[in-house]
């Protein structure tokens, strides 16, 4: 009973294949399991959709082409045509986060323990993703622009003494990007899933409380229904926001100094 | 710039030799071409359909104020946190406590504000782009 209504229990990590090397715990956990499932489903789905390669696309192919057009349009709008060289990266990132978010919407899932798990509700995952983005931005920015990449921290057109203040502010602003990028995705998924579980818990508790209370249990049920729809929107929206901000940061690497 | 458009621009800039009234030089007033509008024209009907659909989509997207708010909030918070963290680390290594954390916090607030301003600019730019694409994409 306590576990059934505990809103945090869904985020627990259980090892599936325990593996310890020295003092390092490298177990294959339910989090890893869901990441593998997300990747496998994406690859299998896209391969199946594109296996026909018809001139007039069928249903599956239409979805795959729409995804392609969507991400390509997003990159072209924010980072220009040059940004399209990052298309594979942005597309992978977008589809992985979207798939992980959507898999998290399953309450029960053919997984060890039979319960669903949201990979992106753990900050270590989202932070690793945003650090990857930042590493690519810094790495490519320096590779392409060399020393000029540092212009990002010294915007032109301000009086000389102001650089003492502006440069640290710009550096802090740059360093805060991976944090805000990861916290936003993680907080949205965590808060949404806790909220769902809390309202679901109300139904269980009211149902268990007795005959009169069970009738009121309909109210949190409708709330839950609305929240589930909202969560599907959030799952897509946050993947979109993560991808579009990646594009905006990549634009900085392509054209520093604005 | 297409040819009829060029003639139009010249007329707007220099005035009309026949003394017709001056044309306002705004993007919105520019006609698609000098040809009269045919209501049965396929492109006209397509454009009307697209416009209707776009405004519909826009009305649906406006509900994402929650996402915009969260974006501003997390951007601001991240700036302040990084500022405090850098100040604290500086104190730790150089031993200037509490000066580092004080300056770091102030700079962090500035960076957070900068983040929010940038985010707002991006949101506005996205809005402008929508407004632009609502006009005819062909010219």
């Amino acid at each position: 009973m306590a576990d059934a209504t505990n809103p945090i229990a869904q985020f627990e990590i259980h090892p599936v294949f325990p593996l310890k090397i020295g003092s390092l715990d490298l177990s294959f956990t339910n989090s890893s399991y869901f990441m593998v499932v997300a990747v496998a489903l994406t690859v299998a789905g896209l391969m199946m959709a594109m296996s026909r390669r018809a001139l007039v696309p069928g249903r599956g192919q239409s979805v795959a082409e729409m995804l392609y057009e969507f991400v390509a349009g997003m990159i072209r709008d924010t980072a220009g045509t040059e940004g399209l060289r990052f298309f594979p990266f942005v597309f992978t990132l977008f589809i992985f986060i979207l798939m992980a978010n959507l898999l998290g919407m399953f309450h029960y899932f053919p997984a060890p323990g039979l319960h669903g798990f949201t990979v992106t509700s753990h900050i270590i995952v989202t932070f690793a993703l945003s650090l990857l983005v930042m590493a690519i931005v810094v790495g490519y920015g320096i590779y392409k622009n060399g020393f000029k990449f540092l212009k990002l921290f010294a915007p032109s057109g301000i009086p000389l003494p102001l650089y003492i203040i502006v440069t640290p502010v710009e550096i802090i602003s740059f360093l805060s990007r991976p944090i805000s990028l990861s916290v936003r995705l993680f907080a949205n998924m965590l808060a949404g899933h806790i909220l769902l579980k809390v309202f679901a818990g109300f139904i269980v508790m009211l149902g268990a409380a007795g005959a009169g209370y069970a009738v009121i249990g309909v109210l949190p049920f409708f709330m839950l229904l609305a929240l589930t729809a909202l969560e599907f929107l959030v799952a897509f929206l946050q993947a979109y926001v993560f991808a579009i901000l990646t594009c905006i940061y990549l634009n900085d690497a392509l054209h520093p100094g604005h | 710039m297409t040819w009829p458009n060029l003639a139009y621009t010249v007329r707007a800039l220099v005035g009309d030799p026949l003394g017709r009234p001056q044309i306002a030089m705004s993007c919105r007033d520019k006609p698609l071409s000098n040809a009269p509008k045919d209501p049965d024209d396929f492109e006209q009907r397509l454009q009307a359909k697209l416009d209707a659909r776009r405004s519909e989509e826009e009305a649906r997207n406006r509900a994402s104020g929650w996402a915009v708010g969260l974006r501003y909030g997390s951007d601001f918070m991240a700036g302040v946190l990084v500022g405090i963290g850098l100040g604290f680390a500086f104190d730790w290594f150089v031993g200037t406590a509490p000066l580092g954390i004080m300056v770091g916090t102030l700079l962090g607030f500035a960076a957070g504000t900068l983040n929010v301003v940038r985010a707002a600019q991006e949101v506005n730019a996205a809005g402008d782009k929508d407004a632009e694409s609502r006009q005819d994409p062909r010219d």
Side-chain angles (χ1 to χ4, degrees):
Chain A
M1 176 68 197
D3 195 51
T5 52
N6 181 2
I8 309 291
Q10 55 177 322
F11 302 114
E12 275 168 12
I13 288 191
H14 313 285
V16 179
F17 302 118
L19 172 68
K20 250 190 164 176
I21 297 178
S23 58
L24 271 177
D25 189 1
L26 294 177
S27 305
F28 186 86
T29 62
N30 54 346
S31 178
S32 334
Y33 177 84
F34 271 88
M35 288 190 214
V36 171
V37 168
V39 171
L41 272 182
T42 314
V43 171
L46 282 178
M47 272 169 75
M48 226 163 69
M50 293 311 291
S51 60
R52 197 82 58 78
R53 288 208 203 93
L55 188 61
V56 178
R59 244 172 302 171
Q61 198 182 337
S62 289
V63 172
E65 285 178 5
M66 259 165 63
L67 275 173
Y68 177 93
E69 289 289 332
F70 179 70
V71 177
M74 179 164 77
I75 298 175
R76 226 177 272 125
D77 281 352
T78 47
T81 320
E82 274 175 90
L84 278 180
R85 72 181 62 197
F86 290 110
F87 176 82
F89 173 60
V90 178
F91 187 79
T92 312
L93 205 59
F94 172 71
I95 217 99
F96 177 71
I97 294 173
L98 182 65
M99 211 59 178
N101 288 353
L102 289 179
L103 282 180
M105 293 305 295
F106 283 101
H107 303 118
Y108 296 97
F109 195 78
L114 279 182
H115 62 81
F117 181 83
T118 321
V119 175
T120 43
S121 67
H122 279 250
I123 192 160
I124 190 66
V125 175
T126 58
F127 194 61
L129 288 175
S130 65
L131 274 189
L132 176 70
V133 172
M134 281 299 131
I136 286 183
V137 166
V138 172
Y140 186 78
I142 288 175
Y143 162 75
K144 171 134 187 285
N145 305 294
F147 193 64
K148 264 196 225 144
F149 180 67
L150 294 180
K151 253 197 186 156
L152 201 64
F153 302 123
S156 52
I158 56 171
L160 207 59
L162 273 185
Y163 280 113
I164 302 169
I165 302 173
V166 168
T167 308
V169 167
E170 287 281 357
I171 290 174
I172 293 173
S173 167
F174 185 81
L175 290 178
S176 72
R177 279 173 179 184
I179 295 181
S180 65
L181 197 60
S182 56
V183 164
R184 192 177 310 119
L185 177 58
F186 140 80
N188 264 295
M189 299 321 291
L190 184 82
H193 283 265
I194 288 180
L195 209 60
L196 281 182
K197 190 76 189 216
V198 165
F199 275 93
F202 285 162
I203 304 175
V204 176
M205 283 191 258
L206 282 168
Y213 288 105
V215 181
I216 314 174
V218 175
L219 295 176
F221 177 75
F222 280 117
M223 189 68 191
L224 191 66
L225 204 65
L227 278 177
T228 307
L230 182 75
E231 272 311 297
F232 272 107
L233 180 75
V234 168
F236 172 77
L237 207 66
Q238 287 307 314
Y240 172 69
V241 165
F242 199 100
I244 203 160
L245 283 175
T246 302
C247 294
I248 289 171
Y249 297 158
L250 285 171
N251 185 38
D252 275 351
L254 289 162
H255 321 281
H258 306 291
Chain B
M1 191 177 279
T2 56
W3 173 240
N5 246 337
L6 183 64
Y8 198 82
T9 314
V10 169
R11 226 179 96 198
L13 287 177
V14 216
D16 189 67
L18 301 177
R20 280 176 287 183
Q22 183 83 21
I23 307 158
M25 262 302 279
S26 131
C27 293
R28 273 177 194 284
D29 295 341
K30 238 187 268 173
L32 305 180
S33 69
N34 283 351
K37 288 186 180 177
D38 178 9
D40 288 336
D41 182 25
F42 170 72
E43 290 189 0
Q44 292 276 344
R45 282 182 290 144
L46 179 68
Q47 194 58 36
K49 280 262 167 68
L50 283 178
D51 280 348
R53 195 155 150 212
R54 220 169 262 142
S55 58
E56 215 173 83
E57 246 165 46
E58 210 170 284
R60 219 180 304 139
N61 287 347
R62 207 161 291 151
S64 70
W66 167 248
V68 174
L70 221 104
R71 165 131 195 244
Y72 292 165
S74 63
D75 274 354
F76 187 73
M77 180 212 73
V80 176
L81 282 188
V82 170
I84 292 175
L86 280 186
F88 190 75
F90 188 81
D91 276 347
W92 188 271
F93 288 114
V94 187
T96 49
L99 265 180
I101 204 167
M102 284 161 69
V103 175
T105 308
L106 287 177
L107 288 178
F109 267 97
T113 313
L114 184 70
N115 283 346
V116 171
V117 170
R118 291 234 168 97
Q121 274 172 351
E122 277 153 21
V123 170
N124 284 349
D128 286 350
K129 208 172 280 161
D130 281 351
E132 243 165 60
S133 62
R134 226 175 297 127
Q135 286 168 26
D136 189 44
R138 279 166 295 164
D139 58 13

